[in-house]
Every structure is written in structure tokens, then in C-alpha cells.
Amino acid sequence: MKATRIAGDITTVREEDAVRRVMTTVQQELDSPPALTASQELPLTVIRPSRGRIALNLRELWEYRELLYFLIWRDIKVRYKQTLLGVAWAVLQPFLTMVVFSIFFGNLAKVPSDGIPYPIFAYTALLPWQLFSRALTESSNSLVANQRLITKVYFPRLVIPISAVLGGLVDFGIAFVILIGMMAYYHIVPTLAVLTLPLFLLLALATALAVGLWLSALNVQYRDVHYLTPFITQFWLFATPIAYSASLVRYRWRGLYGLNPMVGVVEGFRWALLNSPATGTRSLVLISAAVVGLLLIGGLAYFRRMEKTFADIV
Amino acid sequence: MNNVSIRAQKLAKLYRIGQRESYRLLRDVLADAMASPFRAAASVFDDRQGNELRSTDDHVWALKGVSFEVKQGQVVGIIGPNGAGKTTLLKILSRITEPTEGQVEIRGRVGSLLEVGTGFHPELTGRENIYLNGAILGMKKAEIERKFDEIVEFSGVERFIDTPVKRYSSGMYVRLAFAVAAHLEPEILLVDEVLAVGDLAFQRKCLGKMEEVSHEGRTVIFVSHNLNAIWSLCPQTLWLDTGQIVDFGESGRVITRYRQHMSRLSGVIPEQDILKRSNDPLRITNFRLEDLEGNPCASVPSGGAVRMVLDYVSDPAVAGKRDVYIGIGVSNEMGQRLFSLSNRFTDQQLSEMASQGQFVCTVPCLPLVPGQYDIKLACQIQGGESVQKVHLVGALMVREGDFFASGRIPDSSFGHVLVPHSWSQRSEASWNLEGDRDAETSDH
């Protein structure tokens, strides 16, 4: 049994398991009779052309969690190497954007902000937005950026876009400290609603991953994606209530508006942190979550289907 | 049999030619989608690659019908010319890419080493890269921590372990990368031609480490163009050519056949070459090895006698000339010249040339360890302008032989050349006497 444990980075599946039939590229099974020789204790891997539907194989992904950890760790370590300001960039990016927004939209255009001071109104939205847009950009480029890995080593390819999405969390955490400072400055005391914040954070990450999976897999074959992504994030920024309030959108259009999952995220952040009016926020969030769910399932299916060709095409 | 480690059955892999170079532009796909929107939509999730696979003109089989079995603990070398499918086979075995047909059963954890330093990040320090690279190669964090000191020591870059690897020399980089890989402990290790990098001493160290690995009962598949390395490491060799297995079995046999095949391809002085040189006054037309009885032989034992026979054709004009010099160079697989044979050294005249004949060079005791050596030829007529130089006319296969008449046969890790010698002992008391006697004998 020891050998099986050592070989733990491969999923162990029973012979009769349906997963085995369902095309998994690779399956493992334990020999049923207890073995005398060491070889019989070793897990068996069968490699064959995949056919039909593809199992998600989350268990294998779990076995590779250390690799996921190291890839995230690498991205964080490398991000601000050889920069003068270092980690300060994590704060400067949303902060300077907030300043620009406050001057142009808050002061000059006098965009209504639901009665909340405009700077914190914008900053609260910019935090999840920057997390999202960075995660989207990084993940859609992740497979191409890691092509050396893909063509030289085996591991579940999902590790790569997932690590790209999660890599932005540290920056988010650092920038969040500024938000706490701003809340103190504006004397905003969060209610218990703040406990729901992780859900909105999760929704933002899931949105980025869902779209990132599609784009990263497409990017392997069509490098057009590389040029497309900046436009996507730019348009998406305007379609999300960051510089303005969602209440500007007419009520009858709100269902359609909610199809953009980031609307739910941003409104959720403002509601959880700034006690902004919750009118219609719940239905928005539900629509957003449903959209993300569908996108994510489709993205995972597409990614898994394309996965086997990555090493040949990238 | 239960101790089979790898069982491949009818493996095949189809590549689209140019797949790597030309990316399909989205434009083309959109155009397709406009033409037939429903089929395009369905094809996003459709697993069959459909008609694309059927047409064969723009596709190539990198592997076709490859079946073999490797037992647990076996060390197998894979040889073959470029494009034979060696790397494709390793990529399938390591699950990087999927076979188009056939299947492989693998028993045990697989570690693959298709490249040294996969995933090394230039900005990270040596220490950080050890962890990163280890994780990428499939090691657990605890495992890396346990072996960390050993890895650093093996690499010999202790002093620079906290320096970003972008500041490393390429040699240091490779050493560190290989050190991590060498400490992988999978049941099955797949190694591509990665030893081609790094200095000779380090290559030796790596080969030694691999030998260690194979003695621990692990299955090793080793792809290399270095036939000597394969020969000394792998008892079994698999010869691939254009995606198919040509031969699989005992290394001596397979490598000998492979070399003969390759030298036939590159020609023991190809016919065209001789014709092209037909205006040279002296031409070597063939080269072969014979034993002292005059029988042609394919290989020579270490310490055995061998005759190298060169057929020549000469013009009547030079037939009577005396000063003909023939040189035979013997090099190892790395192309390093080990020794040369020439009648210039022995100061022997090859006179009285006929219009056609043979030059014969006799080596009474071949001082080479078992392995594969390359032979080059040159001939020159003194005072004349004619110099024929032939690169790689053939291979000299040296098999195991009892050079020292002791039954002890050193391998190439002790050097390529064997020197006859003997040992004796003397004590302090007999020092002078012994010394005198030595001096006396050397005078004669």
C-alpha cells in the first residue's frame, strides 16, 4: 500500500468505476488481489486516445495542489522583482485610478454616487474590478506564457489558469488595507453584511476563471485572443458600475444588466462594505451567479476537451 | 507477467505538418462559421476531429504501430535518427501528449526529464528554483526539503544558491537544473537527450547518477544520440526509425546493427564520392576490418589484433611514386581523436603501387575499451597536390575482450584507452637494488 501512497499524484479509480469508461485520458486502478511483489502495488496508468466526454478529474487537480501553490508563489515572487516601488504598485494602481475617477467623474461630471463619498465609492468598486481584470488578462495568456511547461512536463493543465487567477489575491489584500483606511477616514462602519464579502470575492474570481478558461484555451490555437483581451476588459469596464452607480440603469433593463456578472460583484461589494442601498441587488447577484455558473461549466468542458491538444499546438 | 513496467500496444501518433508553425487565425474559423454556422457551433464541443484526420497528405505519422514491453527495473535506451519519433514516444509515455491510436499501460509513478530546468525562472534564486522545479517535476515539498542539501551539493553551486539564476553561467544553470532532476525518485524515469549540455565532467557525473538510479531497481528509458552512453548504461536498446521499431533487444546487437545501417546510409566512401574524385591520382575506394586470418570482421575485442584494409585505385602516373602517406584517425563518439595510425609515423614506405591494390595496416593489440569509434581517412602523395580526406568512412566496433588477461574489463568511465602495464611491490630495504635493476633494464 505504501507504493500506492507514494504514487499519490495520480488518481486511483476502481476498475468498474464509470469514470474509467468515460474516456478519461488516463486512469489508474488498484490491483484487487493483495500483491506479494512490489510491482503489483504500483498504480496502473492506462494511456489511450480520449473519446467521448471528458471527466473533470478534480481529484487529480487536488493531488497537484502543491504545484498550484508553487506556481502562484512564483508569480507573486516575480511580479515586482527589479521594480523600484515593489509592492507599492499593488496599492498605487487602484489608488491612482481612484484619484483620476474622482477628479473626472466625481468632481467634473458630478456622477451621482448613491450618497456615498465618490472616492470610496469608486475605490470599493475598483478593488474587485482590478482583481478581476488582472485575473482575466493573466489567465487568458497563461497557457501560452507557460508553453515550455506544457510541452515538457505532465500535470493537469487546469493548474495554470487557476494559478493565474489566484495570483492576484495578494495584491487585492494589500490594496484592501487602503480601503479600510478610507473607511475609517469617511467614518463608514460596516454592518454584518460585510460577512458576505467573501462570496462576492469568490464570484469575481469565478467570473475571471470562467472567461479565462475559454480565452486561454482559444489562445493556444488562435493568438488573436492576445489582442482581443484588452478590448474585452475595456468594454467590460464600461459595462460595469465602477465609475457610476448601477441605479443609473433603468429598472427594466436591470435584468439584462445583471447578465454581466461583475455588476453583481461590484454592487455586492458596495452593499457589503458601504451599506449602499440594496434595491434590486439580490436579483442582480442571483442572475450574475447563474451566468457565471453556466460560463464556468462551459469553460471547463471546452478546456478539458482542448487540453489534450495543447502540447501539440501551443 | 506482473512485473511489466511499461506495455505499449500499437501506439500511433499523427501530427499535422506545420501544426507548430502556422496558427489557425480566428478569421479562418469565422469564415468557416459563416459558411456553415451549425457545424461550426457543434464542432466546439465535438470530440471527433472528423475529416481532418482522413486526408493524409498534410499529416505525418510520428509513430505508427509501436508495441513493446519493458520490465520493471530494466534500463532501455532508445536510438534512432532525427525524426524517428523518439521524443514523441517519451511525450506519450509521460502523458504530455495523447496517442492517436493504441494504448500504453504504465505501472508506477512516472518522472520525465525531457529538458533540464523546465520551469526555471530567471528572476528567482537558485534556492527558489530548486523548489519550483522540483514541484514541476512532481516532487512533494517535504521531499524537496529533505533532499535540498544533497541537491545543492550535487550541483556544486553552493556559493550562488541565493543569486538569481539569470546571473548564472550556462554551465551552473544546467548543473543546478540537473541536480534537481537527478533527485527525482519515480518508479519510471524517462530521460530525453539532456546530457548533451554541460561539460564533460558533469556529464559523467550525471551518467553515474543515472547508473545509480538504474541499480535501485527503477525502470529507466533513456533517449540519446550518444551510443556509447546508451551502451554503457542500457542493457536493452530500442531502435526507432520513421515512427516504427526496427529492432529491440540486447544493446550490443541493436547498436551494432544500427551503426552498420547508418554507415551504409552515410556510405563507406559512397560510390558517387569516388566517381567525383575520379581525377584524383590516388583514391581509396573501400575500407574494412579483417582479423589476422584475413576474415572480415564486424567488431574487434579489446586487446585483439585487427587489420585495417584499404582498397585503392591509382593512375598509372603515380604508380611508381614512392612517397605515399596514409593516415587513419580513430575518434570517440564525441569526435575527439584518440589516436592516429600512419605510415609516416612508422616511416614505412608504401612503394610499388599497382593501378589497383590494398593498403593494410595491422594493429596487433587494440588498446580501446568496448564501444563505438569513428574512423577517418586521409591519403597524400608527397610533393603532389592530391589529398583525399574522407570523414567517417566507417565505424570501429570494439567489443569486450580480455585486454589485461585478467578477466577484468574496464568500461569507458575509466577512459577510452587501455595501456599495457604491470604492478609490483618493493620495500624500503630493497629500494636501491630495485631502482638499479630498473635502470639497467631500461637501458636495453
Side-chain angles (χ1 to χ4, degrees):
Chain A
M1 279 299 106
K2 188 167 154 257
T4 316
R5 256 205 9 256
I6 290 171
D9 56 348
I10 323 183
T11 341
T12 309
V13 190
R14 274 218 199 97
E15 190 147 1
E16 62 269 25
D17 203 321
V19 187
R20 182 178 144 76
R21 268 183 305 102
V22 191
M23 120 55 280
T24 42
T25 325
V26 177
Q27 319 116 325
Q28 292 75 34
E29 52 197 330
L30 277 177
D31 269 350
S32 21
L36 291 170
T37 63
S39 72
Q40 281 174 316
E41 290 181 40
L42 300 174
L44 179 69
T45 308
V46 180
I47 302 169
R48 63 166 71 120
S50 52
R51 304 200 198 289
R53 301 238 326 281
I54 296 153
L56 194 50
N57 216 346
L58 285 180
R59 195 196 308 210
E60 194 187 28
L61 197 61
W62 176 247
E63 298 289 350
Y64 276 87
R65 62 191 183 279
E66 284 199 351
L67 178 59
L68 180 65
Y69 163 76
F70 273 112
L71 288 179
I72 296 171
W73 170 84
R74 173 194 70 179
D75 289 342
I76 292 170
K77 275 243 159 190
V78 166
R79 188 169 300 150
Y80 298 117
K81 281 251 165 134
Q82 217 166 335
T83 58
L84 203 58
L85 299 179
V87 180
W89 280 112
V91 174
L92 279 176
Q93 288 172 38
F95 192 81
L96 292 178
T97 315
M98 180 267 286
V99 170
V100 172
F101 276 23
S102 300
I103 293 168
F104 289 98
F105 295 108
N107 282 0
L108 295 179
K110 303 241 182 295
V111 174
S113 54
D114 298 341
I116 299 163
Y118 191 88
I120 195 165
F121 172 85
Y123 194 79
T124 310
L126 278 167
L127 280 192
W129 172 258
Q130 296 219 330
L131 172 70
F132 165 80
S133 71
R134 140 165 273 142
L136 179 62
T137 311
E138 298 273 320
S139 64
S140 67
N141 200 35
S142 60
L143 288 174
V144 173
N146 286 289
Q147 53 176 289
R148 290 294 286 276
L149 286 192
I150 291 173
T151 54
K152 300 293 179 193
V153 189
Y154 173 79
F155 53 88
R157 307 310 190 198
L158 271 173
V159 167
I160 287 184
I162 292 177
S163 77
V165 165
L166 296 182
L169 275 176
V170 172
D171 279 16
F172 174 83
I174 295 165
F176 198 84
V177 175
I178 301 295
L179 181 66
I180 295 173
M182 287 174 73
M183 285 168 73
Y185 178 81
Y186 288 108
H187 303 294
I188 294 171
V189 182
T191 61
L192 275 180
V194 77
L195 294 177
T196 60
L197 196 66
L199 291 178
F200 298 114
L201 189 61
L202 192 67
L203 188 61
L205 293 173
T207 311
L209 182 64
V211 182
L213 285 176
W214 280 96
L215 292 181
S216 62
L218 279 169
N219 199 10
V220 169
Q221 197 165 9
Y222 313 110
R223 295 298 148 91
D224 311 58
V225 171
H226 179 71
Y227 301 98
L228 191 64
T229 314
F231 289 106
I232 293 180
T233 45
Q234 201 170 13
F235 293 143
W236 207 322
L237 172 68
F238 293 123
T240 307
I242 292 163
Y244 57 92
S245 163
S247 55
L248 284 183
V249 178
R250 290 232 181 110
Y251 194 77
R252 60 181 163 140
W253 293 113
R254 297 202 83 189
L256 189 66
Y257 195 49
L259 289 180
N260 170 6
M262 285 310 288
V263 173
V265 171
V266 166
E267 287 296 283
F269 260 73
R270 284 192 182 132
W271 172 73
L273 289 166
L274 309 179
N275 324 317
S276 71
T279 44
T281 301
R282 186 181 305 175
S283 62
L284 270 181
V285 170
L286 286 178
I287 295 171
S288 294
V291 169
V292 168
L294 285 175
L295 266 179
L296 194 57
I297 289 167
L300 283 169
Y302 181 68
F303 190 92
R304 290 288 305 180
R305 187 178 102 55
M306 296 308 292
E307 188 178 56
K308 61 185 181 181
T309 63
F310 287 166
D312 298 333
I313 298 174
V314 74
Chain B
M1 291 295 284
N2 269 319
N3 59 351
V4 171
S5 188
I6 301 173
R7 177 187 287 129
Q9 288 163 315
K10 295 190 175 137
L11 271 190
K13 176 76 185 177
L14 189 70
Y15 275 115
R16 220 172 73 200
I17 296 174
Q19 203 167 28
R20 289 179 157 276
E21 286 76 24
S22 67
Y23 308 106
R24 246 178 113 197
L25 289 175
L26 202 52
R27 187 183 60 201
D28 308 332
V29 181
L30 292 178
D32 287 352
M34 299 292 252
S36 49
F38 293 108
R39 198 172 56 199
S43 74
V44 171
F45 292 106
D46 188 3
D47 190 50
R48 284 158 305 170
Q49 291 176 338
N51 305 329
E52 268 188 285
L53 274 185
R54 303 292 167 258
S55 75
T56 48
D57 18 325
D58 56 342
H59 290 82
V60 63
W61 289 98
L63 287 178
K64 183 81 176 142
V66 170
S67 305
F68 63 92
E69 265 186 25
V70 177
K71 296 211 167 57
Q72 206 202 332
Q74 260 188 342
V75 180
V76 176
I78 300 184
I79 56 174
N82 289 331
K86 304 185 292 290
T87 301
T88 305
L89 180 57
L90 284 199
K91 283 191 171 180
I92 290 175
L93 294 180
S94 55
R95 294 154 70 192
I96 292 167
T97 185
E98 206 174 67
T100 313
E101 286 170 13
Q103 73 166 39
V104 195
E105 289 166 30
I106 290 184
R107 202 169 279 279
R109 194 167 77 136
V110 176
S112 62
L113 191 51
L114 269 62
E115 175 192 66
V116 273
T118 307
F120 260 43
H121 198 289
E123 297 285 352
L124 296 178
T125 66
R127 180 187 303 278
E128 290 163 342
N129 269 309
I130 289 178
Y131 279 95
L132 179 63
N133 189 230
I136 286 167
L137 293 176
M139 285 157 109
K140 299 277 168 210
K141 192 166 174 243
E143 198 181 340
I144 305 169
E145 265 158 14
R146 202 174 62 240
K147 294 179 185 161
F148 186 83
D149 293 337
E150 216 181 311
I151 293 174
V152 174
E153 202 203 311
F154 188 88
S155 70
V157 298
E158 291 93 336
R159 283 180 53 215
F160 307 98
I161 200 66
D162 289 311
T163 308
V165 297
K166 64 178 176 182
R167 311 247 183 270
Y168 279 30
S169 72
S170 55
M172 283 159 62
Y173 184 93
V174 165
R175 289 218 299 271
L176 182 67
F178 197 91
V180 182
H183 289 81
L184 266 178
E185 285 181 355
E187 282 91 30
I188 301 169
L189 184 60
L190 309 174
V191 186
D192 204 349
E193 184 100 81
V194 290
L195 297 178
V197 287
D199 57 55
L200 270 177
F202 191 71
Q203 279 188 26
R204 176 129 299 136
K205 200 169 167 184
C206 296
L207 288 176
K209 184 75 190 176
M210 282 185 59
E211 220 159 15
E212 225 172 86
V213 166
S214 59
H215 289 159
E216 285 163 17
R218 252 172 247 145
T219 311
V220 181
I221 306 271
F222 178 39
V223 167
S224 180
H225 285 110
N226 183 343
L227 297 183
N228 277 338
I230 296 245
W231 201 340
S232 59
L233 279 176
C234 315
Q236 304 273 311
T237 298
L238 189 150
W239 168 12
L240 274 181
D241 203 340
T242 55
Q244 286 170 319
I245 296 180
V246 181
D247 199 357
F248 181 28
E250 192 262 315
S251 286
R253 188 195 81 212
V254 177
I255 293 175
T256 307
R257 278 194 61 197
Y258 176 68
R259 284 304 300 233
Q260 283 166 353
H261 176 78
M262 294 308 283
S263 61
R264 208 172 303 143
L265 283 186
S266 60
V268 179
I269 316 180
E271 199 75 20
Q272 313 89 287
D273 255 27
I274 298 162
L275 290 176
K276 239 184 272 167
R277 300 190 144 269
S278 60
N279 52 355
D280 278 3
L282 175 66
R283 303 179 295 281
I284 306 292
T285 58
N286 195 15
F287 170 86
R288 67 180 175 277
L289 302 175
E290 283 179 3
D291 61 18
L292 294 183
E293 280 81 49
N295 305 312
C297 51
S299 64
V300 185
S302 284
V306 63
R307 283 202 172 120
M308 301 183 184
V309 181
L310 291 76
D311 294 336
Y312 71 83
V313 179
S314 76
D315 288 346
V318 292
K321 281 201 180 157
R322 295 171 59 93
D323 299 338
V324 174
Y325 293 116
I326 308 292
I328 299 175
V330 177
S331 312
N332 67 8
E333 291 251 307
M334 314 278 216
Q336 290 160 319
R337 177 70 56 91
L338 298 176
F339 60 81
S340 300
L341 309 165
S342 172
N343 63 320
R344 196 193 284 269
F345 304 158
T346 59
D347 197 21
Q348 287 168 307
Q349 300 296 337
L350 298 168
S351 52
E352 308 300 316
M353 278 198 302
S355 64
Q356 206 169 340
Q358 292 168 340
F359 297 125
V360 179
C361 175
T362 304
V363 179
C365 176
L366 190 69
L368 291 175
V369 296
Q372 176 83 47
Y373 302 89
D374 291 332
I375 293 184
K376 292 175 184 175
L377 289 181
C379 63
Q380 188 182 9
I381 299 167
Q382 181 70 4
E385 59 295 326
S386 162
V387 178
Q388 183 186 6
K389 272 190 181 164
V390 186
H391 296 292
L392 190 66
V393 292
L396 173 63
M397 304 289 308
V398 179
R399 59 176 194 271
E400 295 193 342
D402 198 2
F403 184 88
F404 295 109
S406 63
R408 304 287 170 92
I409 303 160
D411 63 32
S412 61
S413 62
F414 294 95
H416 289 282
V417 178
L418 299 170
V419 175
H421 62 288
S422 66
W423 290 82
S424 59
Q425 257 181 314
R426 57 190 177 197
S427 58
E428 287 290 324
S430 62
W431 173 268
N432 289 326
L433 189 66
E434 195 79 19
D436 289 349
R437 200 189 298 153
D438 274 1
E440 261 174 51
T441 44
S442 63
D443 278 339
H444 293 289

